[in-house]
Amino acid sequence: IHLAEHPSNASAGYAAMAAMGLAFALTEHGPDRLGLCQAAPCRNAYLDTSTNRSRRYCSDRCATRANVAAYRARKRLEAEASARSGRSAETAQDSRALSER
């Protein structure tokens, strides 16, 4: 791989450096380590450098946003289920905690 020493303009230089970095990362980690962020509105690409290939999000921000959305969805379902059964969410949660012990 060869990079020209004098790019025609700054954007060409940055693009060449980014392409070089991507080429080196793909050579080191392999193309199967590329992924797309699984957060709902985000579709950024990332390079998974984790040891067990478990990365799913492009950043901590997207991971946090997805985890909070999943938590809120679970709580919403619990509230709907408790409303149908006529119990409050706290009572349902307390009885579930007692049954798990």
Side-chain angles (χ1 to χ4, degrees):
I1 298 176
H2 178 71
L3 181 64
E5 293 182 23
H6 301 288
S8 59
N9 57 28
S11 62
Y14 287 127
M17 292 298 283
M20 264 316 250
L22 181 60
F24 284 133
L26 288 175
T27 302
E28 183 178 342
H29 298 288
D32 57 328
R33 293 290 190 122
L34 281 177
L36 291 177
C37 184
Q38 292 183 7
C42 181
R43 289 293 169 239
N44 290 336
Y46 63 86
L47 182 65
D48 185 2
T49 56
S50 64
T51 55
N52 59 357
R53 299 178 186 210
S54 62
R55 188 169 178 178
R56 297 177 9 194
Y57 303 105
C58 66
S59 66
D60 289 339
R61 184 178 183 182
C62 281
T64 301
R65 185 182 309 132
N67 289 334
V68 168
Y71 173 79
R72 289 179 179 164
R74 280 193 312 272
K75 289 298 180 184
R76 193 176 316 116
L77 286 174
E78 287 176 6
E80 290 172 2
S82 65
R84 279 182 288 205
S85 67
R87 297 189 308 182
S88 69
E90 292 84 18
T91 307
Q93 189 176 19
D94 290 342
S95 63
R96 189 175 331 119
L98 289 175
S99 66
E100 290 175 355
R101 290 184 191 169

